[in-house]
């Protein structure tokens, strides 16, 4: 298991310095993120919207594929939810296959968010770090995840 760069546990001055240096290196390595070619036009739009919301997160071009998979899985969840609304949980005494697709996509989203460091706990640690260091206070995913517009 890797070390967390942001932690509320007591760390030595040397370790704190190492963590700050690591953060700086990650920030310097940040490159532009591009959506994968398998995403459709709407998914590419969502990819770019997500990237705008997480621009302060230390991700690089190599993370583009995982972000693309995240968008794809979120789209699967939305499509499955729509199918379930239209057809119900049970069709002809059989469980709607959209339920299984949605459950699998939810697990995949959770895994991808964790891999990318975009989980709630990671964002909370980041916000706490920003508050403690007086560098601002915000949640980069809050506006992306709020569904203010109708599709």
């Amino acid at each position: 298991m890797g070390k967390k760069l942001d932690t509320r546990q007591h760390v030595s001055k040397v370790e704190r310095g190492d963590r700050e240096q690591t953060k700086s290196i990650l920030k310097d390595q940040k490159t532009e993120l591009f959506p994968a070619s398998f995403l459709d036009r709407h998914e590419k739009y969502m990819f770019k919207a997500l990237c705008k919301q997480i621009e302060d997160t230390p991700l690089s071009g190599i993370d583009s594929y995982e972000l693309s998979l995240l968008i794809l899985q979120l789209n699967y969840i939305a499509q499955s939810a729509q199918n379930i609304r239209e057809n119900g949980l049970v069709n002809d005494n059989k469980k709607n296959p959209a339920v299984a697709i949605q459950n699998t996509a939810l697990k995949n989203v959770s895994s991808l968010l964790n891999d990318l460091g975009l989980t709630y706990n990671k964002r909370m640690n980041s916000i706490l770090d920003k508050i403690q260091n007086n560098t601002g206070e915000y949640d980069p995913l809050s506006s992306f995840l709020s569904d203010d517009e109708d599709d």
Side-chain angles (χ1 to χ4, degrees), residues 102-115:
Q102 187 177 47
N103 288 337
T104 300
L106 283 168
K107 289 176 187 173
N108 291 341
V109 164
S110 178
S111 177
L112 288 164
L113 288 173
N114 190 46
D115 289 349

Side-chain angles (χ1 to χ4, degrees), residues 6-58:
D6 295 314
T7 182
R8 298 196 36 87
Q9 297 175 353
H10 176 72
V11 293
S12 69
K13 288 182 182 180
V14 172
E15 190 171 350
R16 189 177 312 124
D18 290 347
R19 289 170 189 244
E20 290 304 316
Q21 184 178 2
T22 302
K23 285 182 192 178
S24 175
I25 290 169
L26 286 171
K27 197 169 194 169
D28 290 343
Q29 289 179 347
K30 189 173 180 176
T31 56
E32 194 167 348
L33 300 166
F34 292 99
S37 60
F38 57 78
L39 296 180
D40 66 22
R41 197 169 92 203
H42 173 72
E43 292 164 344
K44 287 179 181 178
Y45 171 81
M46 294 303 297
F47 179 95
K48 290 175 184 176
L50 175 61
C51 287
K52 285 180 185 176
Q53 296 302 315
I54 61 171
E55 63 186 17
D56 289 337
T57 304

Side-chain angles (χ1 to χ4, degrees), residues 115-126:
D115 289 349
L116 292 164
L118 299 175
T119 62
Y120 178 78
N121 286 337
K122 176 65 176 163
R123 291 183 291 128
M124 286 303 296
N125 285 337
S126 177

